Amino acid sequence: MQVVIVTGASRGIGAATAKLLGRNQAAVVVNYRTGAQQANEVVADIEAAGGKAIAVQGDVGTEADVMHMFAECDRLFGPLTGLVNNAGIVGAEKRRIETVSFDTIMTLMRVNVAGALLCAREAVKRMSPKHGGRGGAIVNVSSLGAITGSPKAFIDYAASKGAMDTMTIGLAAEVADRGIRVNAVRPGLIDTDIHASAGLPDRVERFGPQMPMKRAGTAEEVAEAIVWLLSDKASYVTGEFIGVTGGAR
Ligand code: NAP
């Protein structure tokens, strides 16, 4: 049975990924930071589909919370086979470099970069045969912004996703001989609440029609790529990036 931790799974891409894993009868840790009710609804959906699930509150940018989340997974579901580093933030509003605060930068890096590294560390400890594990797969949810740099809007966010991409390349090489695969998806414009959180509630409406496919993507479309990368169907794929961008570059 797949045992997978999905960070930031109360909404958006994380929730869609957790639900799709549930349909494959996986055991899923549904991590969330504030949305307890939404996380519980994701758990109920997974259980209804025949999977197992538990909601675990925790901030991925806080080491004690990450340790607790992995300990809960060990206790309830046993050996971890997958991690989806999905939890991520953009910041409260569109900005240029002149207006970025130190706090905004540090919060972004703590959640998006340190959070992903901490979770990867704990996952490798459990998956590596050196520590008694049986291999596994890690999928990082990066962004097209890692390539474009998101000028005049979110370059600090884009830089955090660039760091995630570098981690994907390095960690994939570091653990390839331990049966652990590490890959990433780079979503483009996806219809989730993240845009409203960034003060741009109409972003999908405004920019969707300008995409090559004339629409934004859905969380479910990104989840399909993530779940494939987690699965044995991707058994010889590591250190790779799948763009889920509808053709945007
Ligand atoms: P979303 O709808 O805003 O959902 C974000 C999720 O992350 C929520 O479940 C939230 O939990 C959780 N979260 C936020 N901070 C957290 C923290 N410190 N610790 C644990 N969980 C935390 O976002 P989304 O659009 O699904 O984005 C998911 C990932 O895709 C992010 O990494 C994002 O950068 C990336 N991405 C998204 C797009 C897009 O267009 N949507 C494009 C490129 C990349 P609570 O609600 O419970 O607080």
Side-chain angles (χ1 to χ4, degrees):
M1 183 203 268
Q2 273 184 303
V3 175
V4 184
I5 294 177
V6 183
T7 66
S10 55
R11 292 190 278 125
I13 293 167
T17 303
K19 288 180 190 175
L20 187 54
L21 286 165
R23 264 171 248 142
N24 296 344
Q25 271 70 56
V28 187
V29 172
V30 176
N31 162 250
Y32 68 97
R33 193 175 59 93
T34 57
Q37 192 186 328
Q38 288 164 301
N40 286 329
E41 284 166 16
V42 174
V43 167
D45 185 287
I46 293 168
E47 288 174 344
K52 291 188 194 172
I54 180 183
V56 180
Q57 196 281 331
D59 176 350
V60 294
T62 301
E63 188 174 22
D65 288 5
V66 169
M67 302 303 279
H68 170 71
M69 175 171 72
F70 278 82
E72 283 295 275
C73 184
D74 295 341
R75 188 173 69 80
L76 288 160
F77 297 144
L80 185 74
T81 67
L83 164 70
V84 183
N85 267 325
N86 167 78
I89 52 172
V90 172
E93 57 193 2
K94 211 171 141 177
R95 53 203 174 260
R96 296 181 73 116
I97 192 74
E98 296 98 310
T99 58
V100 153
S101 72
F102 182 69
D103 271 1
T104 298
I105 295 170
M106 293 310 280
T107 303
L108 269 170
M109 297 301 162
R110 188 175 60 77
V111 173
N112 294 5
V113 183
L117 285 164
L118 282 173
C119 289
R121 180 189 76 190
E122 292 309 306
V124 167
K125 279 190 203 164
R126 285 156 177 84
M127 293 171 179
S128 174
K130 282 205 166 208
H131 305 292
R134 289 176 298 169
I138 297 173
V139 178
N140 293 324
V141 182
S142 173
S143 170
L144 180 59
I147 296 172
T148 68
S150 303
K152 300 176 193 167
F154 307 110
I155 63 167
D156 41 4
Y157 165 78
S160 76
K161 294 299 184 177
M164 197 177 223
D165 284 7
T166 303
M167 184 269 256
T168 304
I169 295 165
L171 185 59
E174 185 165 303
V175 297
D177 64 354
R178 299 188 189 180
I180 305 171
R181 297 180 299 101
V182 186
N183 294 287
V185 295
R186 289 196 190 109
L189 182 68
I190 307 299
D191 188 0
T192 71
D193 295 343
I194 204 168
H195 310 293
S197 312
L200 302 167
D202 60 348
R203 193 162 180 230
V204 165
E205 260 167 46
R206 278 182 59 203
F207 296 108
Q210 295 175 29
M211 294 294 116
M213 292 177 72
K214 307 291 178 209
R215 66 171 178 89
T218 66
E220 288 73 22
E221 288 173 313
V222 183
E224 290 286 351
I226 295 170
V227 170
W228 180 76
L229 285 169
L230 285 175
S231 77
D232 288 342
K233 291 177 186 166
S235 55
Y236 203 51
V237 179
T238 196
E240 295 293 345
F241 298 83
I242 297 182
V244 188
T245 67
R249 292 277 177 268

